[in-house]
Amino acid sequence: MRVHSFLTQGPSALSTLTTQLTQASSSAPPPIEALALFHLGLPRTEVASAVRASGISCPNIYLADSYGILGYDESLGRNVELMEKGRGQEYGFAGGSGGEGCVAVVFSSGAVTGHGNPATMMYPTDVASMMVIEDTDLSFTGASTIPPVHYGGVSKKNYFLGENDELERTPYFWIGSKENDLPVGISTFTGEAGDACASLMGKVSNGYVLSGDVGLFPCYTRGVNQYGEEDVETSAIAKTMTKAKARVYGMFAHGELGPSQFAGFVDKAGEIPCEKHSMTSILSMHTMKS
């Protein structure tokens, strides 16, 4: 499975989203199996329209209304963090600075997907790892210990964009990598992002190197609410990954979904317990053959 991501923001966020998706549709290794869009401060109907205007051919398109987003801004040449205005004040923190934007994550070359109710969902037996996004606190109960290993978090609301352009409410979606595909590194951390990144980098499977694509799903009590400024964790990851240009994708979550204790790279299905965390960050790192 291959991943390509970018963030658009500000008044031109939607038009830039259309332009960059058009470019991605021609440059991503075919076929494109899934597209995940984490958006902040933008109407979901307008995000959906921007996607359709790009002409991208993708059977599985998901939208997640988020508390905040993290991604690589091409115009700035760096990773940025945007958190909903005031988010975190309900827990006594300073609160987010606000903003509007969208993170697009294109999955191609072997990604598999599913959506619906995780309590009744049957997962393919040949999936080694998967990104999971849910939007109800109780829906992950009972699914958290089912393989494969997960990385992701809890959003506000999720939608599936159907062929007739209708947005279908879905409490849960996942996008996975099959067994014997490129290994994906996953860990849960509460400390500093640079340290967690360096530790996971040291576990890369033989014969593979980091592609630079990094998933990051922090609790929204982290970020500016923890450090007093934005872009701290994304900058730390970029500084640590000296041999690959880090392109971060993800969202600030209200419940982080990831391994209970595991930290490492996987390309085989197995029973690795996961759970819903609080005040943590979930990290994933993608690879390519060396």
Side-chain angles (χ1 to χ4, degrees):
M1 180 179 75
R2 298 295 299 271
V3 175
H4 174 71
S5 66
F6 58 86
L7 175 147
T8 66
Q9 62 174 318
S12 62
L14 292 170
S15 60
T16 305
L17 175 63
T18 297
T19 300
Q20 293 195 18
L21 279 178
T22 300
Q23 296 170 349
S25 66
S26 60
S27 61
I32 297 174
E33 289 98 357
L35 172 63
L37 300 131
F38 305 104
H39 58 96
L40 172 70
L42 298 172
R44 58 180 175 271
T45 53
E46 294 184 15
V47 174
S49 295
V51 172
R52 289 306 190 200
S54 73
I56 190 169
S57 177
C58 178
N60 301 290
I61 301 175
Y62 300 101
L63 282 69
D65 187 2
S66 309
Y67 299 96
I69 56 177
L70 310 92
Y72 188 84
D73 186 322
E74 296 278 7
S75 65
L76 298 178
R78 63 179 177 86
N79 297 291
V80 300
E81 304 172 8
L82 300 175
M83 192 183 297
E84 186 177 35
K85 181 71 173 178
R87 179 57 63 184
Q89 290 180 348
E90 66 272 35
Y91 293 113
F93 294 95
S97 303
E100 59 182 25
C102 183
V103 173
V105 193
V106 179
F107 296 85
S108 62
S109 300
V112 289
T113 70
H115 64 276
N117 184 346
T120 58
M121 185 174 294
M122 298 296 293
Y123 298 103
T125 58
D126 62 345
V127 175
S129 65
M130 61 188 188
M131 181 186 78
V132 298
I133 307 296
E134 67 150 90
D135 66 6
T136 52
D137 287 352
L138 297 178
S139 67
F140 200 63
T141 303
S144 60
T145 58
I146 298 174
V149 63
H150 304 69
Y151 55 97
V154 180
S155 68
K156 289 183 177 181
K157 289 184 179 180
N158 299 328
Y159 293 86
F160 174 77
L161 181 58
E163 292 183 0
N164 58 358
D165 291 346
E166 289 187 4
L167 288 166
E168 172 191 337
R169 184 86 159 78
T170 182
Y172 175 84
F173 69 88
W174 60 269
I175 301 171
S177 178
K178 290 185 178 182
E179 281 194 312
N180 302 315
D181 199 348
L182 299 172
V184 178
I186 306 169
S187 70
T188 303
F189 68 92
T190 57
E192 298 302 317
D195 294 339
C197 180
S199 177
L200 192 55
M201 286 171 58
K203 303 176 187 293
V204 177
S205 307
N206 290 334
Y208 297 90
V209 295
L210 296 176
S211 68
D213 302 294
V214 178
L216 186 62
F217 298 87
C219 176
Y220 66 64
T221 61
R222 293 176 68 90
V224 67
N225 284 319
Q226 177 167 326
Y227 300 103
E229 58 182 305
E230 291 157 333
D231 306 341
V232 171
E233 290 197 342
T234 51
S235 295
I237 289 171
K239 290 178 181 178
T240 304
M241 295 178 64
T242 57
K243 294 184 179 181
K245 185 176 183 178
R247 295 182 72 101
V248 175
Y249 69 86
M251 68 174 189
F252 286 100
H254 190 26
E256 307 80 62
L257 308 178
S260 301
Q261 297 181 329
F262 174 83
F265 284 77
V266 292
D267 63 356
K268 303 290 185 184
E271 296 187 10
I272 300 175
C274 294
E275 62 184 87
K276 184 168 70 176
H277 300 267
S278 179
M279 303 182 76
T280 65
S281 288
I282 309 298
L283 177 67
S284 66
M285 307 181 81
H286 298 269
T287 64
M288 59 185 181
K289 291 184 178 181
S290 57

